[in-house]
């Protein structure tokens, strides 16, 4: 045995190896080749550095991690999320969980006629917080209450989408930049869902638009990904309006093709942790009379290159 292999071997007295199991998701849940299940994660005890590294690597490899049967409190979700970076607080602070400003309630439930959370989050394909200077690294969504039908979340692999573009398109978009704005679809969403709060001048001031490259390079893996979305991208900088619109529509249609998509069908106590630098996501919708509630934490990423 070589010296390095001998050193890699755990000593007989070492703590038992982690029970965490990572299983790539396969056919039957969409045609995309992304996503992995993580079984046996116990966050009621401190997470060892080696388990953290495995989860971190799996996140980079699979882009969407599905932690099954995760019984954790909001405080534990916040603590686990913080291992990956500072957390971002959503501009709709009225939907933060009481005592946990880092948790956004994603829910269609109304109590006393008032929405308890953001009911139509993710109605259009997007990458979370792409409209800020440092868009999100990743988001964690932990199921609290699930409907008997509907309520799926779809994820589209933007590395695969970029790789599959015709060479001509890759060249055309290589150095283009696009503007992202939280306000892009806000009024359209309010017209559909009148409970959606009107933004205050202070909230509007917190979300000025930002410009990012149309093709981004993942800061950890170096892989290229498309980074434009129907939800937040308003225009391609420097192109006439009609050309910008046509190119964006072409990219939106391409980026969410079925072959890049994994459809997540939620199970009780799932927590899904996706990489906003690698995938876009979409809430497929829940029948109005069925209750759905999830808690989201959002990790800050780097400026986009
Ligand atoms: O509700 C969902 O399925 C996803 C909502 C969403 O876009 C998010 O929580 O970031
Ligand atoms: Fe989202």
């Amino acid at each position: 045995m070589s010296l390095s292999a001998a050193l890699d071997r755990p000593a007989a007295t070492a703590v038992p190896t982690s029970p965490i199991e990572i299983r790539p998701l396969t056919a039957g849940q969409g045609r995309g080749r992304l996503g992995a299940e993580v079984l046996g994660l116990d966050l009621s005890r401190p997470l060892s550095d080696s388990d953290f590294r495995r989860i971190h690597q799996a996140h980079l490899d699979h882009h969407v991690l599905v932690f099954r049967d995760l019984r954790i409190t909001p405080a534990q979700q916040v603590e686990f999320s913080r291992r990956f970076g500072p957390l971002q607080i959503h501009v709709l602070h009225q939907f933060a969980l009481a005592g946990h400003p880092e948790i956004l309630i994603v829910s269609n439930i109304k109590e006393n006629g008032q929405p308890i959370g953001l009911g139509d989050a993710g109605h259009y394909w997007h990458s979370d917080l792409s409209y800020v200077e440092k868009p999100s690294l990743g988001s964690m969504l932990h199921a609290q209450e699930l409907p008997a039908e509907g309520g799926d979340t779809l994820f589209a692999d933007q590395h695969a989408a970029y790789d599959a573009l015709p060479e001509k398109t890759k060249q055309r978009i290589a150095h283009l930049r696009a503007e992202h704005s939280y306000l892009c679809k806000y009024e359209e969403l309010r017209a559909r869902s009148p409970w959606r709060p009107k933004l205050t001048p202070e909230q509007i001031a917190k979300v000025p638009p930002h410009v990012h490259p149309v093709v981004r390079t993942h800061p950890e893996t170096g892989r290229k990904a498309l980074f434009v979305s129907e939800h937040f991208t308003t225009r391609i900088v420097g192109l006439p309006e009609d050309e910008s619109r046509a190119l964006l529509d072409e990219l939106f249609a391409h980026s969410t093709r079925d072959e890049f998509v994994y459809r997540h069908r939620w199970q009780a106590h799932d927590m899904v942790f996706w990489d906003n630098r690698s995938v876009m996501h979409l809430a497929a919708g829940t029948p109005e009379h069925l209750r759905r509630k999830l808690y989201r934490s959002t990790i800050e990423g780097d400026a986009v290159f």
Side-chain angles (χ1 to χ4, degrees):
M1 186 189 310
S2 72
L3 179 61
S4 66
L7 289 174
D8 281 348
R9 204 176 236 201
T13 52
V15 283
T17 49
S18 155
I20 292 179
E21 191 189 332
I22 294 164
R23 267 196 218 158
L25 292 162
T26 45
Q29 290 139 322
R31 288 174 52 214
R33 288 177 45 205
L34 71 160
E37 277 181 315
V38 182
L39 308 172
L41 177 65
D42 178 2
L43 289 180
S44 66
R45 291 179 307 179
L47 185 69
S48 69
D49 287 341
S50 66
D51 282 350
F52 172 77
R53 278 196 300 273
R54 278 186 72 201
I55 292 168
H56 180 207
Q57 190 59 49
H59 192 244
L60 296 176
D61 292 343
H62 303 285
H63 319 311
V64 177
L65 295 182
V66 179
F67 302 101
R68 296 288 188 198
D69 197 33
L70 196 63
R71 315 285 177 126
I72 54 168
T73 63
Q76 287 168 329
Q77 180 176 346
V78 167
E79 193 188 330
F80 179 53
S81 303
R82 282 214 176 105
R83 294 286 297 257
F84 295 86
L87 304 189
Q88 292 171 303
I89 292 180
H90 200 272
V91 62
L92 290 178
H93 50 74
Q94 52 269 73
F95 296 141
L97 181 64
H100 295 284
E102 310 86 351
I103 293 213
L104 174 75
I105 303 176
V106 172
S107 180
N108 63 355
I109 299 172
K110 297 196 184 53
E111 274 168 12
N112 306 317
Q114 293 298 317
I116 65 161
L118 188 54
D120 59 357
H123 179 75
Y124 298 100
W125 283 101
H126 66 287
S127 171
D128 288 335
L129 274 72
S130 73
Y131 48 84
V132 303
E133 191 194 343
K134 290 179 169 180
S136 167
L137 175 157
S139 305
M140 298 195 192
L141 200 54
H142 190 214
Q144 306 293 316
E145 206 177 325
L146 295 171
E149 61 177 277
D152 297 349
T153 308
L154 275 59
F155 297 91
D157 182 342
Q158 295 309 291
H159 299 302
Y162 174 79
D163 291 346
L165 283 171
E167 208 48 48
K168 244 176 61 191
T169 311
K170 284 185 184 165
Q171 281 168 19
R172 178 168 182 221
I173 65 177
H175 302 291
L176 293 179
R177 294 161 68 78
E179 182 190 72
H180 296 238
S181 170
Y182 183 63
L183 306 179
C184 178
K185 291 275 196 239
Y186 201 89
E187 288 311 315
E188 251 174 86
L189 287 167
R190 277 195 79 218
R192 293 169 34 97
S193 311
W195 55 264
R196 198 179 240 270
K198 193 168 161 55
L199 294 172
T200 63
E202 291 75 27
Q203 284 174 317
I204 292 175
K206 276 191 186 153
V207 286
H210 281 91
V211 168
H212 302 298
V214 167
V215 179
R216 72 178 296 177
T217 302
H218 194 292
E220 298 187 77
T221 65
R223 290 188 67 190
K224 288 183 176 177
L226 271 177
F227 196 62
V228 288
S229 76
E230 191 178 13
H231 199 153
F232 297 130
T233 309
T234 49
R235 65 191 175 93
I236 307 263
V237 176
L239 288 190
E241 171 61 26
D242 54 343
E243 264 182 58
S244 161
R245 192 73 260 151
L247 178 55
L248 284 176
D249 287 347
E250 183 187 324
L251 294 175
F252 295 161
H254 172 85
S255 59
T256 57
R257 267 164 38 185
D258 197 40
E259 69 234 55
F260 312 133
V261 170
Y262 159 64
R263 171 181 280 262
H264 185 64
R265 298 193 168 87
W266 291 87
Q267 297 178 18
H269 309 288
D270 276 354
M271 184 165 84
V272 178
F273 174 28
W274 64 87
D275 190 333
N276 279 307
R277 304 161 300 184
S278 298
V279 301
M280 288 204 288
H281 59 284
L282 174 80
T286 304
E288 219 170 297
H289 63 288
L290 297 177
R291 291 162 64 98
R292 181 176 188 265
K293 181 169 82 167
L294 308 99
Y295 290 163
R296 185 180 106 190
S297 48
T298 314
I299 302 146
E300 183 175 86
D302 301 311
V304 183
F305 292 104

